[in-house]
Structures are given as C-alpha cells and as structure tokens.
Amino acid sequence: MRHRRDHRKLSRTSSHRRALLRNLVTALFQYERIETSVAKAKEARRLAERLITFAKRGDVAARRHVDRFVTRPHVTRKLFDTIGPWYAERAGGYTRILRLGRRLGDAGETAYLELVKSVEQREEERKAREAAEAAKAGKGEKPARTKKATKEKAEDTPEEEKEKPKRGRRREGGPGSRPGPAKKTRRSVKTG
C-alpha cells in the first residue's frame, strides 16, 4: 500500500532533489516549456503550480516566499509581472505534461512540461513569430537583378576591364589551371 507516500524521491538525496526541482521550476518559468523525464515533470508540476498561486496573490510575503525557491531574480519578476496575471481567472491547472516517448540510450520516458496558455496568447505569439520571420526574410533578400540592367552595365564598361582576369580561385580544366592539393578531411581520433 502507498499510504502517506506523497512524493517521488527520484533516486536522490533530499538536498540534491530540492536543487534539481528548483532548477527545473526556474527553467520552466524562464522558457515556458522544458523537456525532462515524466517523473521529474510530475514532481516539478506540483511545485510550479504552488508558486504560480503565490504569484497570483502578488503581495510582498508571497514574493519573498517565491524568491526563496526560484534561483534567478529576473525569473521571479517575470513570474509576478507576466505569468501570474495570465491565470488571474483560472483556478489551478496552470501546467500540462505532453509525453514524447522513450529517450535513446536509457529508454527513459520523456515529456514536455509547459505552461498552459489561452487561445489569445497563442495567437499573439504566432503573429509575433511570423512577423519576426518576415522581417528576417526581408532583411536577407537582395533586390533581384534584371537582364536589362546587366546588359546595360556590360555595355558601359570599357573593353580593358572586360579582358582583365578575374580574381579568386581558378576553375578546374580551364586555361592555365593546375591541379590543387586534395581536399583535407577530418580524421577520427582514437583514444586508448
């Protein structure tokens, strides 16, 4: 029977387990989604939901309580300023666990632990992400040259410049080309 067994020990000492859970919860609030094992996610979820409830209270005592657990001050500010107000009307269920499958190597069951967001928040994030991608794509593109512009430029250049040899590597098989050294490949390092 499992009477009065209220948490997982995660094969760690109490101090190691506390440090692990503090780091997981801090990372969850910082990145809003983390990948970890299912058992660790279930334990971190308990603590994260309690801390979000403190953030909803928003008073000084709650902030001090959270500061004792969360390891980074800027994450505490984010928790109280942005994450807490997201769940002002929600009574629990602030996180979700999405199972991913088994990990290669030790076949441990992995999962995402993430903060639940409303439909409006997801839509805003999608729009911001698309705008950032459009800005990045617009910045990287160069204006396309037309054939007319290229021909006009070629006609304007004097004959001396046209015959001038171009700089850079010589192409293989062309006049005056010589075979270069073979391409160097990386060799694997053998140890012991």
Side-chain angles (χ1 to χ4, degrees):
M1 288 181 274
R2 58 153 299 279
H3 296 313
R4 296 179 62 83
R5 292 189 185 178
D6 68 335
H7 66 275
R8 294 162 185 82
K9 292 187 178 179
L10 301 175
S11 300
R12 287 164 171 82
T13 62
S14 61
S15 60
H16 188 185
R17 184 169 54 247
R18 179 175 162 82
L20 169 78
L21 293 172
R22 286 180 70 188
N23 289 331
L24 283 174
V25 169
T26 302
L28 174 65
F29 294 145
Q30 184 174 358
Y31 300 110
E32 299 172 13
R33 173 190 258 194
I34 57 172
E35 181 179 347
T36 184
S37 69
V38 173
K40 290 176 192 170
K42 286 180 178 179
E43 280 303 302
R45 175 177 57 183
R46 297 172 64 220
L47 298 168
E49 300 220 355
R50 288 180 192 165
L51 294 179
I52 291 173
T53 304
F54 276 113
K56 284 170 60 176
R57 273 186 20 201
D59 58 353
V60 176
R63 187 177 290 269
R64 287 178 178 159
H65 187 90
V66 170
D67 264 336
R68 289 182 63 204
F69 196 81
V70 175
T71 58
R72 298 184 186 108
H74 71 277
V75 176
T76 303
R77 282 193 299 274
K78 179 180 178 180
L79 177 61
F80 277 81
D81 297 341
T82 61
I83 297 174
W86 286 351
Y87 305 115
E89 288 85 35
R90 190 176 184 113
Y94 312 121
T95 59
R96 99 170 37 102
I97 293 175
L98 299 171
R99 292 173 185 258
L100 297 175
R102 300 215 169 251
R103 185 167 46 207
L104 291 177
D106 65 350
E109 204 172 353
T110 59
Y112 280 133
L113 174 62
E114 66 181 9
L115 297 175
V116 175
K117 296 185 180 175
S118 67
V119 176
E120 295 85 21
Q121 289 170 329
R122 286 192 302 243
E123 188 65 26
E124 287 176 12
E125 282 186 0
R126 187 183 63 80
K127 286 181 182 178
R129 195 170 49 244
E130 288 175 352
E133 287 175 3
K136 185 177 179 182
K139 185 179 178 183
E141 290 180 2
K142 293 181 180 177
R145 289 186 179 177
T146 60
K147 290 184 178 180
K148 282 187 178 180
T150 310
K151 280 185 180 179
E152 291 172 3
K153 188 176 180 182
E155 290 173 0
D156 292 343
T157 57
E159 293 295 322
E160 301 160 0
E161 289 183 18
K162 287 183 182 177
E163 294 176 12
K164 191 175 182 181
K166 294 184 179 179
R167 291 181 157 180
R169 300 177 81 183
R170 295 181 183 157
R171 301 222 179 235
E172 291 182 25
S177 66
R178 60 178 181 223
K183 184 176 180 181
K184 293 182 180 179
T185 58
R186 188 174 213 171
R187 294 189 180 123
S188 62
V189 178
K190 295 182 181 179
T191 58

